[in-house]
Amino acid sequence: MFSRQRIKVVKVKASRWHSDTFARGSFPFVPVNASPEDFNIMSDPVAERIFFAGDGTTTLFPGSVRGAFASGRREAKRIAELYNRRP
């Protein structure tokens, strides 16, 4: 199924969240006067065309790889259901 042929890596790009001036470490949290429901709002699709996943879009293990993975599965299921109901 998978080729045993070696692949030549041409370019690699790594993010540096801790030094990114816009992300500043990037970690989801619930600020004062907010609720965990705000994480769910961040996962609302836009016009059934743009879908959001990630550790900041779920109340299930927010801020973790486990939460990011779970949200990716959630969105994959949502997209599959959308395409399965189309003619």
Side-chain angles (χ1 to χ4, degrees):
M1 177 180 204
F2 297 102
S3 171
R4 299 224 183 256
Q5 185 178 15
R6 292 185 185 256
I7 299 171
K8 180 181 176 185
V9 177
V10 178
K11 185 177 181 180
V12 174
K13 181 168 176 129
S15 61
R16 303 282 185 252
W17 292 102
H18 64 280
S19 61
D20 185 311
T21 56
F22 297 107
R24 295 189 181 156
S26 187
F27 192 84
F29 70 100
V30 181
V32 177
N33 297 325
S35 76
E37 182 59 24
D38 293 332
F39 282 100
N40 295 328
I41 293 169
M42 292 296 294
S43 71
D44 288 346
V46 176
E48 293 187 337
R49 293 185 148 266
I50 302 173
F51 301 87
F52 300 96
D55 61 333
T57 66
T58 180
T59 55
L60 179 66
F61 309 110
S64 69
V65 172
R66 188 174 181 182
F69 181 78
S71 70
R73 292 185 65 127
R74 176 197 67 220
E75 293 309 305
K77 181 179 177 185
R78 187 179 284 178
I79 292 167
E81 289 172 354
L82 174 69
Y83 278 91
N84 287 335
R85 71 176 179 181
R86 289 191 177 173

